[in-house]
Amino acid sequence: MPADSVSVTGWGRTAPTTARLVRPRTYGEAAAAVRECGARGGIARGLGRAYGDAAQNAGGAVFDMTGLDRIHAIDAGGGTVLCDAGVSLHRLMEVLLPLGWFVPVTPGTRYVTVGGAIGADIHGKNHHVSGSFARHVLSFELLTADGEIRPVGRGTPLFDATAGGMGLTGVILTATVRLQPVETALMSVDTERAVDLDDLMARLTSGDHRYRYSVAWIDLLARGAGTGRSVLTRGDHAPLDALPPRARRHPLAFRPSRLPAAPAFVPEGLLGRTTVGLFNELWYRRAPRARTGELQPIPAFFHPLDGVPHWNRVYGRGGFVQYQFVVGHGREETLRRIVRRVSERRCPSFLAVLKRFGKGDPGWLSFPVPGWTLALDVPAGLPGLGSFLDELDEEVAGAGGRVYLAKDARLRPELLAAMYPRLGAFRSLRRELDPRGVFTSDLSRRLGL
């Protein structure tokens, strides 16, 4: 099977490493790639939307699974789909929405594969209601280090280790996923402003139960009385009777729009404090103080950045760090302190969002736990960024929280066990299942997974 030596990065475009990129087109070729990956091992990769180094493998093999992208069966009555792990959420939406079904969980991009969604146990704006992606997976087939294909069902240790296991238990080949019924491809959206962080948390706590989807954009450059000022957006799938007559003709039409791609070269420092500060001011001021029932297309509500191909280039060649953590209920003061510290340090982040997590899922390395999660992006070249984020890691770990491995590129390994209490069980199962360390990534070597 041909393989190319290529430089590989995550979506944040930091810490590139060189690996052999193998592109299997059949399950047999995937098994052969695993058996022949060599001393440096291999790791599965989908569409490359993990922000950090989870799908990189310096000096080893990276298995590009996007060639395995068949949809095998749809149960339009029962609401399930059986598909290859290389199928994207975008493709599922194209096929399923006309049938009245939607994916159960989607992150901020639809350009992730089903295999990646399971491996990272992705979450979305509906975690407080629906949990993370693996909660809706009924079973999957896993190619393990011995080259064998194993059926894996819910409630088994191998399922729980693979959900959120960042591809380190094996290569997911197929999955059966339970779907969400919808009447239209539009969302009914309520938007409101919050004047500061406490106001935002109060609104989320008192009102999230009324909505399936909820997320808040936060201005992390605002200081003083406006620290944590936000735009809160919540909604649900619009019922057919909420659509105007013209829209009812094709209520399930899925037509994402696309803008021109971001340029290949962007000057360093474009997203500095001045430009991001101006953007944040305009974004907050243009948001309505309170608006209800606005109809928005699914792409606009869930995936606005997908309309700009290669938007990650706007951070320049140095790339950016996406930092996401969660702290539990009762640890709100830790969240407040971190928001104040980021604000006082003037970190130029225009993609900062706060959500509430509901009940956690059984994945041993699954990220969500009940509480508050904040995600922010910052240019990787920001002076002193590494030491500053190290300090935030200490605060998060001290509060019993954790960082999201699918977005991480720099966590210190000594904090991992405090953040993920099932780490010991995960390592033990990996040693039993993969004693030669066939499945390896830059992330697993860095953190000792």
Side-chain angles (χ1 to χ4, degrees):
M1 191 186 323
D4 301 319
S5 181
V6 298
S7 178
V8 182
T9 73
W11 191 244
R13 304 176 75 200
T14 59
T17 55
T18 301
R20 289 181 296 106
L21 190 66
V22 185
R23 300 179 176 88
R25 292 294 183 266
T26 67
Y27 304 150
E29 287 185 357
V34 168
R35 288 193 294 266
E36 300 165 7
C37 64
R40 292 286 287 180
I43 194 70
R45 182 180 177 91
L47 289 167
R49 290 312 201 270
Y51 285 82
D53 54 3
Q56 299 175 212
N57 184 23
V62 170
F63 313 127
D64 179 346
M65 300 303 295
T66 57
L68 291 168
D69 60 354
R70 291 169 295 175
I71 297 176
H72 296 281
I74 299 171
D75 180 352
T80 62
V81 61
L82 168 62
C83 63
D84 284 343
V87 173
S88 70
L89 299 191
H90 173 82
R91 179 60 179 154
L92 287 181
M93 292 177 197
E94 287 183 320
V95 172
L96 296 171
L97 271 168
L99 303 176
W101 296 100
F102 189 61
V103 295
V105 172
T106 178
T109 175
R110 60 187 178 274
Y111 295 111
V112 297
T113 62
V114 170
I118 298 170
D121 200 12
I122 60 171
H123 56 272
K125 300 176 182 180
N126 60 339
H127 192 277
H128 63 291
V129 172
S130 302
S132 50
F133 193 86
R135 184 182 299 187
H136 307 273
V137 176
L138 303 180
S139 63
F140 53 80
E141 290 182 306
L142 188 70
L143 173 61
T144 50
D146 54 9
E148 298 298 317
I149 299 175
R150 304 188 185 199
V152 182
R154 293 187 59 80
T156 63
L158 188 51
F159 187 103
D160 293 345
T162 303
M166 307 310 299
L168 297 172
T169 60
V171 178
I172 300 168
L173 296 177
T174 69
T176 300
V177 182
R178 185 174 56 241
L179 304 170
Q180 168 70 32
V182 296
E183 294 183 14
T184 75
L186 293 172
M187 306 297 297
S188 177
V189 182
D190 294 353
T191 305
E192 57 192 290
R193 284 194 223 164
V195 298
D196 58 25
L197 182 60
D198 285 339
D199 181 28
L200 172 63
M201 290 194 293
R203 292 170 187 258
L204 288 167
T205 301
S206 64
D208 263 6
H209 65 281
R210 298 195 300 269
Y211 298 89
R212 180 175 295 275
Y213 303 99
S214 174
V215 67
W217 168 88
I218 297 186
D219 181 1
L220 289 179
L221 283 175
R223 292 184 290 182
T227 299
R229 67 178 183 175
S230 313
V231 178
L232 175 56
T233 307
R234 297 185 285 198
D236 208 334
H237 298 279
L240 185 61
D241 60 13
L243 272 57
R246 178 175 293 183
R248 294 183 196 179
R249 298 175 189 171
H250 305 285
L252 292 165
F254 180 61
R255 303 188 184 99
S257 60
R258 287 172 71 87
L259 298 172
F265 174 75
V266 175
E268 297 298 323
L270 176 65
L271 295 182
R273 293 186 178 98
T274 300
T275 53
V276 173
L278 177 61
F279 171 87
N280 287 3
E281 182 69 26
L282 291 173
W283 191 261
Y284 181 77
R285 294 297 178 189
R286 72 182 291 272
R289 294 183 183 276
R291 181 176 59 199
T292 61
E294 181 190 16
L295 294 177
Q296 294 183 8
I298 278 174
F301 181 75
F302 289 106
H303 317 118
L305 287 175
D306 280 348
V308 184
H310 306 294
W311 64 263
N312 57 336
R313 293 174 180 170
V314 301
Y315 291 87
R317 294 185 185 277
F320 69 104
V321 173
Q322 174 90 184
Y323 183 70
Q324 184 170 7
F325 69 90
V326 59
V327 291
H329 295 301
R331 297 290 188 171
E332 286 78 9
E333 189 51 44
T334 298
L335 174 63
R336 293 186 184 97
R337 188 162 52 248
I338 289 177
V339 168
R340 285 196 301 268
R341 292 189 63 181
V342 173
S343 172
E344 290 165 359
R345 200 176 187 278
R346 308 291 289 157
C347 289
S349 174
F350 78 98
L351 290 175
V353 296
L354 182 73
K355 297 191 290 278
R356 289 174 72 243
F357 279 159
K359 180 182 177 182
D361 292 283
W364 293 348
L365 297 186
S366 183
F367 169 66
V369 295
W372 305 90
T373 181
L374 176 66
L376 60 139
D377 67 306
V378 285
L382 194 69
L385 179 63
S387 58
F388 178 65
L389 294 181
D390 285 346
E391 293 172 5
L392 298 191
D393 289 341
E394 295 278 359
E395 286 217 42
V396 170
R402 59 184 57 163
V403 300
Y404 191 17
L405 298 182
K407 295 185 176 180
D408 177 59
R410 26 94 19 226
L411 179 68
R412 302 199 315 273
E414 59 267 24
L415 293 178
L416 192 64
M419 293 181 172
Y420 288 90
R422 301 300 302 275
L423 179 63
F426 179 81
R427 286 170 169 163
S428 178
L429 185 141
R430 275 204 72 206
R431 285 192 297 268
E432 178 183 341
L433 193 65
D434 184 9
R436 297 183 296 115
V438 170
F439 296 112
T440 307
S441 65
D442 291 355
L443 173 78
S444 72
R445 276 190 288 267
R446 176 169 58 84
L447 294 179
L449 289 170

